[in-house]
Every structure is written in structure tokens, then in C-alpha cells.
Amino acid sequence: MIDFEKASVFKLSPIDTRDIGQDLAPILIPGERLAAAFKGVRDFVAFTDKRLITVNIQGMTGKKRDYTSLPYSKVQAFSIETAGHFDLDAELELWFSGLGKVRLEFRGKADIRALGQLIAMGSL
């Protein structure tokens, strides 16, 4: 599992969901839809209409991967912080029952409000 305490791992930049579709296809359930994806140096996170999926790419070749599924139905609370004029990073904090807090930082033009809506709809 990815160590969510290391914030540097989660300075994420937006990527096209088509770039990771093949990687996630085997673990998506029928009808589940990719909504957004973000990449760090090697690792990435994907937001579907049902859950947050983190992918930790391991090893020298990057063939070994650790997939962590965090269903929105287990979110007890979440917080979004939008980017400003001088602070261009946005932040998302989620509190999951049984796991604790997960904090993600987004670089660039992440639509953090849309992610908040997605999580709110999925956690109902």
C-alpha cells in the first residue's frame, strides 16, 4: 500500500484517463467509469465513479504494481482546498473508516471541485 504520510509522493499532475485505462481495466468492475487521473513521478491515482484507486509502481522495471482501492462509501469526511493566485497547488483530504486520513496534492489545473462532487455523490 502507498504510504499516504509522504506528501511528496502525492504531488500529482493531471493525465488523460486513456493513458492508464489498460493498467486499470483488469480491476475495474462492470460499468465502472474512469473520471480523472493524476500522476506523480512513477505512481498514479485514478478517480472512478465508485472509488479512488492508487497505483504504486515498484521495482527497477516498474512491472510490479500495488493497487489500493478506496471506496467512496467508506469516506467519513473530506476537505478540498482550491489553488490560489500564488499557491498553485490544490489539496484533497479524505478520512476513511478503518484507514484514517489520505492527503493528495495536485499541481496544475486539477478540477478539485469536480473531484469533491464525485466523492460526495459516491459516498451517499
Side-chain angles (χ1 to χ4, degrees):
M1 179 185 283
I2 291 177
D3 182 1
F4 293 105
E5 297 301 316
K6 292 183 180 178
S8 62
V9 173
F10 290 100
K11 296 254 184 193
L12 302 165
S13 299
I15 59 172
D16 193 319
T17 56
R18 293 175 290 198
D19 294 343
I20 60 161
Q22 293 247 9
D23 289 327
L24 294 180
I27 66 166
L28 295 178
I29 60 174
E32 188 174 12
R33 179 184 66 81
L34 284 173
F38 300 87
K39 186 169 178 45
V41 175
R42 290 180 71 181
D43 303 334
F44 64 90
V45 298
F47 291 83
T48 76
D49 54 345
K50 302 190 182 311
R51 58 188 163 153
L52 167 63
I53 300 170
T54 65
V55 181
N56 182 4
I57 299 174
Q58 303 173 349
M60 294 289 287
T61 63
K63 291 189 185 263
K64 183 176 180 180
R65 292 165 186 238
D66 174 59
Y67 296 88
T68 302
S69 175
L70 303 165
Y72 300 141
S73 62
K74 299 296 182 188
V75 172
Q76 294 177 316
F78 70 93
S79 169
I80 61 172
E81 181 179 305
T82 60
H85 290 293
F86 298 108
D87 181 8
L88 300 177
D89 293 343
E91 297 174 11
L92 171 65
E93 290 183 330
L94 304 124
W95 286 266
F96 286 90
S97 60
L99 178 65
K101 182 171 76 168
V102 172
R103 183 173 180 268
L104 304 172
E105 279 188 45
F106 301 90
R107 289 186 182 140
K109 300 190 183 229
D111 190 352
I112 196 76
R113 289 181 182 102
L115 293 177
Q117 289 176 336
L118 182 68
I119 294 162
M121 292 296 292
S123 63
L124 295 176

